[in-house]
């Protein structure tokens, strides 16, 4: 073990992380939100994310560029993108103020690569609890509907369809 690293042993699993880093994620099974690691109950992978997004009403999956990039749309507007050359990472649209708060709270959420950093986040799904990933996928879907789908009548119809299917946006927005 490198001397610049420290380790914890929880439930017979060893976790190594650089000394001095407090808000970092370093393992699929543990998340560091403070100096104390917390066990993650369940972790999604990209195929779980894909299957979950395809349950959203009227979602379209396409590959407009090449086989490496998959885009998820609602009414022709992007709300998520998977780039397979970036393992375990999915780009999602986000409220700009909320995006900053999420990046401060989770080291596995960063400004999206090759996207507008104000409106898009990258989620490292292998290092986030599945409830966080699901919440952010829903938030992205609803953000696009509310901000990018026109006309208003179509937007309202989509929100009603989503509500009828039991889908909701439970993301807390900053005031």
């Amino acid at each position: 073990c490198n001397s610049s690293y420290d380790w914890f042993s929880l439930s017979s699993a060893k976790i190594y992380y650089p000394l001095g880093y407090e808000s970092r994620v370093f393992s699929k099974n543990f998340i560091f939100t403070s100096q104390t690691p917390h066990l993650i109950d369940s972790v999604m992978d990209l195929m779980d994310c894909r299957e979950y997004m395809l349950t959203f009403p009227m979602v379209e999956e396409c590959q407009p560029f090449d086989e490496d990039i998959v885009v998820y749309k609602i009414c022709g507007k992007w709300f998520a993108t998977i780039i397979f050359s970036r393992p375990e990472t999915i780009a999602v649209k986000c409220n700009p103020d909320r995006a900053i708060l999420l990046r401060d709270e989770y080291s596995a959420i960063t400004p999206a690569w090759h996207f507008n950093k104000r409106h898009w986040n990258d989620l490292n799904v292998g290092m986030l609890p599945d409830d966080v990933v699901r919440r952010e996928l829903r938030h992205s879907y609803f953000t696009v509907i509310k901000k990018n789908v026109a006309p208003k009548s179509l937007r309202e119809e989509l929100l009603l369809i989503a509500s009828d299917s039991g889908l909701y946006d439970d993301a807390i927005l900053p005031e």
Side-chain angles (χ1 to χ4, degrees):
C1 180
N2 187 329
S3 63
S4 67
Y5 286 74
D6 196 2
W7 64 276
F8 286 105
S9 180
L10 296 173
S11 304
S12 72
K14 290 185 179 177
I15 307 164
Y16 294 91
Y17 70 99
L19 290 174
Y21 288 85
E22 295 177 354
S23 298
R24 306 283 288 189
V25 178
F26 293 95
S27 166
K28 262 189 152 174
N29 300 321
F30 293 88
I31 184 168
F32 291 82
T33 55
S34 65
Q35 288 192 350
T36 307
H38 302 282
L39 185 63
I40 297 175
D41 292 330
S42 153
V43 176
M44 296 177 76
D45 64 17
L46 291 179
M47 291 309 292
D48 294 332
C49 291
R50 174 189 182 271
E51 291 170 12
Y52 183 64
M53 288 185 291
L54 291 176
T55 66
F56 298 174
M58 302 184 68
V59 165
E60 174 188 350
E61 179 184 53
C62 63
Q63 293 179 299
F65 306 109
D66 58 33
E67 293 179 4
D68 187 47
I69 300 169
V70 180
V71 175
Y72 297 88
K73 302 178 189 180
I74 180 70
C75 290
K77 305 292 184 180
W78 295 23
F79 74 92
T81 303
I82 296 173
I83 302 173
F84 290 109
S85 62
R86 304 190 68 233
E88 296 189 6
T89 302
I90 185 168
V92 294
K93 193 129 188 203
C94 189
N95 170 283
D97 296 327
R98 182 169 165 60
I100 293 167
L101 294 175
L102 288 168
R103 294 171 197 165
D104 289 342
E105 185 175 350
Y106 300 98
S107 62
I109 298 178
T110 58
W113 184 62
H114 285 304
F115 284 87
N116 182 327
K117 310 295 187 245
R118 180 171 150 80
H119 296 278
W120 288 82
N121 276 341
D122 272 344
L123 308 178
N124 187 325
V125 297
M127 296 175 133
L128 289 167
D130 69 344
D131 60 324
V132 172
V133 174
R134 288 175 190 272
R135 181 189 68 212
E136 295 312 312
L137 293 173
R138 286 190 306 268
H139 175 66
S140 180
Y141 175 81
F142 280 103
T143 297
V144 169
I145 290 174
K146 292 174 185 174
K147 301 288 183 185
N148 301 107
V149 172
K152 184 178 180 181
S153 59
L154 177 59
R155 179 171 50 246
E156 290 172 350
E157 182 180 349
L158 287 172
L159 290 171
L160 183 61
I161 291 169
S163 174
D164 289 346
S165 71
L167 196 62
Y168 57 93
D169 185 3
D170 58 344
I172 298 170
L173 299 177
E175 296 181 26

